[in-house]
Amino acid sequence: DTAVSQTPKYLVTQMGNDKSIKCEQNLGHDTMYWYKQDSKKFLKIMFSYNNKELIINETVPNRFSPKSPDKAHLNLHINSLELGDSAVYFCASSQPGQIYGYTFGSGTRLTVV
Amino acid sequence: GDSVTQMEGPVTLSEEAFLTINCTYTATGYPSLFWYVQYPGEGLQLLLKATKADDKGSNKGFEATYRKETTSFHLEKGSVQVSDSAVYFCALSYTGRRALTFGSGTRLQVQP
């Protein structure tokens, strides 16, 4: 069973479109995250949710909107896509108080053309 | 705020060479430290971790020691293999309570 699963794995879309990326974790973790990895491999936190509550909202354009219907899911919706949004987006989860680290999904490669 | 600095890559080594990837950190508290590895086309995998000063994390022949006095967590391996070719990320956090803060990643290329 995949611990943190993201869909789709690849997403190619035109500028101006709206798209969503879904993430689900079956680890029972309370906290979920979205990270963006740019073309130079740099990883930056975008959002974090704890038990469906937004706790981290970094400087991200408001075209990006996370949604957490329950603590096992954290979806990312992006409006009016721009070329600069092309990146790999990683979902991750963790459990506060545990020392096991964070579990990452396999990533969604978004290409805006 | 917290930050992590890694040596720039790529690091190119021959098989069986000794590997060191430097990592230093700046933190306001007492974080846990991690090394993650990203193989080509894949997501991030936890390689090893250390939760307090002087702890040594180890896995798959890789080791790193949490050095509070030098605020460092250098990754080492005695004999690298071609299959170790990947991007390695140093990171810190506070036992799952906050997001990981990553270094910029170091690409390792091991040649036969």
Side-chain angles (χ1 to χ4, degrees):
Chain A
D1 283 344
T2 304
V4 180
S5 60
Q6 293 179 231
T7 53
K9 190 171 176 63
Y10 300 97
L11 183 55
V12 181
T13 187
Q14 290 188 327
M15 273 186 357
N17 283 351
D18 302 339
K19 291 293 179 185
S20 292
I21 306 171
K22 296 185 177 182
C23 179
E24 176 181 5
Q25 55 98 358
N26 62 6
L27 297 166
H29 287 170
D30 285 339
T31 307
M32 297 184 71
Y33 310 84
W34 278 109
Y35 285 85
K36 179 180 179 180
Q37 185 175 46
D38 63 23
S39 58
K40 295 184 178 178
K41 298 292 188 183
F42 189 71
L43 279 153
K44 187 172 171 58
I45 182 70
M46 299 174 69
F47 301 103
S48 172
Y49 270 74
N50 187 63
N51 266 326
K52 304 193 296 177
E53 180 183 352
L54 180 65
I55 56 173
I56 294 176
N57 184 358
E58 293 295 313
T59 307
V60 174
N62 58 15
R63 299 181 294 103
F64 289 79
S65 54
K67 287 198 169 42
S68 182
D70 55 60
K71 78 171 194 177
H73 295 84
L74 180 60
N75 303 323
L76 183 64
H77 189 76
I78 315 170
N79 289 327
S80 303
L81 278 155
E82 300 178 357
L83 293 176
D85 298 332
S86 296
V88 181
Y89 293 84
F90 286 101
C91 179
S93 71
S94 69
Q95 184 63 18
Q98 288 187 358
I99 62 170
Y100 306 116
Y102 301 69
T103 303
F104 283 79
S106 57
T108 296
R109 181 175 294 277
L110 171 65
T111 304
V112 182
V113 298
Chain B
D2 299 338
S3 65
V4 177
T5 302
Q6 286 181 240
M7 61 188 288
E8 286 196 25
V11 173
T12 302
L13 296 173
S14 298
E15 210 164 20
E16 299 183 4
F18 185 86
L19 168 71
T20 300
I21 299 178
N22 290 338
C23 170
T24 57
Y25 68 91
T26 303
T28 52
Y30 300 97
S32 296
L33 301 175
F34 305 85
W35 277 101
Y36 279 83
V37 58
Q38 184 178 28
Y39 297 103
E42 297 186 13
L44 283 87
Q45 301 175 26
L46 178 65
L47 181 60
L48 54 84
K49 65 182 185 301
T51 58
K52 61 182 186 299
D54 300 326
D55 269 1
K56 178 186 281 189
S58 61
N59 186 24
K60 299 181 181 179
F62 291 90
E63 293 183 341
T65 300
Y66 190 144
R67 300 282 188 206
K68 188 178 173 186
E69 63 277 11
T70 54
T71 61
S72 65
F73 192 55
H74 304 321
L75 183 68
E76 296 181 336
K77 186 175 185 182
S79 175
V80 294
Q81 306 300 311
V82 172
S83 57
D84 293 327
S85 298
V87 180
Y88 292 81
F89 293 91
C90 186
L92 67 81
S93 188
Y94 297 86
T95 58
R97 293 187 185 280
R98 304 184 207 170
L100 283 160
T101 298
F102 284 95
S104 55
T106 302
R107 183 180 299 278
L108 170 65
Q109 298 172 337
V110 181
Q111 298 174 337

